[in-house]
Amino acid sequence: MTTTLPPLSIPVTATLVAGGALATHDYSLVHHDRQAALAAGTRDIFMNILTTTGLVGRYVTDWGGPRVRLSSVSIRLGHPVHPGDTLTFAGEVTEYDEATRQATITVTADTDGGQHASGAVVAVLPEDIQDAPAPTTHDKEESR
Amino acid sequence: MPDTDTMTTADTKPRTCTLPDADSARSQITQIIERGEVRHYQSRYAITDRAIGALTDVLGDANPIYTDDVAARAAGHPGIVAPATSLQVWAMNRLDEQLPPSPVDRAYQILQANGFTSVVAVNGDQTYDRYLRPEDRLHSEERVESISELKHTGLGEGLFITTLITFLDEADEQVGTMRFRTLWYAPRTQPDTITEA
């Protein structure tokens, strides 16, 4: 049994793209200057990676709550995201160790045009998490 | 900082007719790795609650541990913290700041000069040793970690390069790492037909 995270849809605005780039201290023109983005061959400004990473983190703590501790985030990058797109997050707990409460949560972020990002978040979940995942049973452990 | 912005396959430099030379690129970049070349970067500014709040506002992240001391303490932190995923934010260079050339920049130039003229970001991996707090002021060490063999990809022949940034606090304790992998390739298509990745 796996625990599925509730989906999250985020309307992508120019404010999110440009504001996210600047709040992450990324001044590359392609994230806030439409003319520069067009000159670079894309159809509009596009989200920077640090904003994507921030949204992935938000998605996991929106679900797990303020006591979740993130240990790592690994992201594989795909389609760029532009203002007007909708970014839809989905996720599930694919590994969970009851003793350490460490979970691996796989996350995808999709747009209409294709997958923007996919990845894995490793986090320690709180003891009192309401939607506690079922512990992962590893084949190795079964065969002991 | 490595260029963390190239999610599209836009060409970064004027195209030349050079045939890609993987052996030359690999041997020069391997030297950079073996010499242990590193660029140190010291952030001028400490993290502030305002900078954290500006970021979490734009992300729409209402987790109270970023803004509310009481909630942060209730969650086991000493006070408000920065989102773990903001690690790299606190050691980004300032606007128009002049930095010494980094081994990563040099490696990217070598790839371009050897015919791998287009780039696409592939992976970004962060690890966190602890949550960062206001008053933390980071410095970082940036290096080239690895270069792949020549690979045949859907975009063309290319090389995968992985860079590593280690982030440290003022006590020189590591607070996290960031690995960034890009594919540099010789496009199979004409430049004006390149589309988004």
Side-chain angles (χ1 to χ4, degrees):
Chain A
M1 191 193 109
T2 55
T3 298
T4 303
L5 279 63
L8 172 69
S9 283
I10 296 177
V12 178
T13 60
T15 305
L16 175 57
V17 173
L22 300 183
T24 56
H25 300 201
D26 182 343
Y27 298 96
S28 303
L29 294 177
V30 288
H31 305 310
H32 68 263
D33 180 335
R34 188 161 189 272
Q35 293 304 319
L38 292 172
T42 70
R43 67 174 158 86
D44 202 341
I45 58 170
F46 58 93
M47 187 175 285
N48 72 327
I49 295 170
L50 287 174
T51 300
T52 300
T53 311
L55 291 173
V56 168
R58 172 195 156 184
Y59 178 58
V60 169
T61 56
D62 274 3
W63 162 72
R67 294 177 65 91
V68 168
R69 300 286 183 109
L70 301 191
S71 306
S72 69
V73 174
S74 303
I75 289 176
R76 183 176 175 83
L77 299 154
H79 282 259
V81 178
H82 304 283
D85 291 345
T86 299
L87 202 49
T88 302
F89 288 82
E92 64 178 43
V93 179
T94 52
E95 285 179 43
Y96 182 61
D97 182 283
E98 265 188 332
T100 60
R101 303 197 307 279
Q102 180 168 289
T104 301
I105 302 140
T106 58
V107 175
T108 56
D110 289 300
T111 68
D112 293 344
Q115 189 151 84
H116 169 57
S118 61
V121 176
V122 176
V124 177
L125 304 183
E127 292 160 2
D128 57 349
I129 190 164
Q130 290 183 348
D131 190 15
T136 314
T137 310
H138 293 288
D139 293 339
K140 269 187 299 189
E141 289 170 1
E142 280 180 336
S143 62
R144 261 194 230 143
Chain B
M1 293 292 115
D3 182 358
T4 56
D5 310 308
T6 39
M7 292 188 62
T8 60
T9 58
D11 281 358
T12 54
K13 284 286 182 296
R15 180 168 300 270
T16 64
C17 293
T18 322
L19 285 172
D21 187 342
D23 290 342
S24 166
R26 280 175 42 77
S27 104
Q28 291 179 68
I29 292 169
T30 300
Q31 283 181 29
I32 290 175
I33 297 168
E34 287 178 351
R35 283 197 293 261
E37 292 183 28
V38 59
R39 179 171 73 187
H40 298 271
Y41 179 72
Q42 172 67 59
S43 181
R44 175 187 284 180
Y45 300 110
I47 300 171
T48 64
D49 55 356
R50 187 189 176 105
I52 294 170
L55 175 60
T56 54
D57 283 347
V58 78
L59 295 175
D61 192 334
N63 188 338
I65 65 171
Y66 308 137
T67 51
D68 179 345
D69 257 333
V70 174
R73 289 202 181 91
H77 298 286
I80 67 163
V81 292
T85 55
S86 68
L87 170 69
Q88 191 181 5
V89 172
W90 314 116
M92 292 286 277
N93 53 284
R94 290 175 289 114
L95 181 60
D96 291 336
E97 185 177 10
Q98 297 302 309
L99 300 179
S102 79
V104 169
D105 295 338
R106 284 194 36 238
Y108 290 168
Q109 285 161 10
I110 289 166
L111 288 162
Q112 289 172 8
N114 283 278
F116 300 98
T117 52
S118 294
V119 61
V120 60
V122 181
N123 297 91
D125 298 337
Q126 298 186 342
T127 65
Y128 315 115
D129 295 284
R130 70 168 173 90
Y131 273 70
L132 298 173
R133 307 205 50 235
E135 307 305 328
D136 275 320
R137 191 167 70 120
L138 300 193
H139 59 108
S140 64
E141 297 174 350
E142 179 182 356
R143 48 174 59 84
V144 180
E145 188 173 59
S146 63
I147 179 82
S148 76
E149 305 278 331
L150 183 67
K151 302 286 186 186
H152 305 278
T153 77
L155 294 166
E157 293 203 319
L159 296 168
F160 290 91
I161 183 168
T162 304
T163 68
L164 170 65
I165 308 176
T166 305
F167 299 93
L168 304 110
D169 64 16
E170 290 187 290
D172 282 338
E173 293 289 331
Q174 179 179 307
V175 297
T177 65
M178 164 86 191
R179 281 184 176 76
F180 190 62
R181 194 158 76 112
T182 45
L183 168 66
W184 294 77
Y185 62 97
R188 295 189 305 192
T189 50
Q190 293 301 305
D192 61 353
T193 63
I194 290 175
T195 54
E196 293 169 3

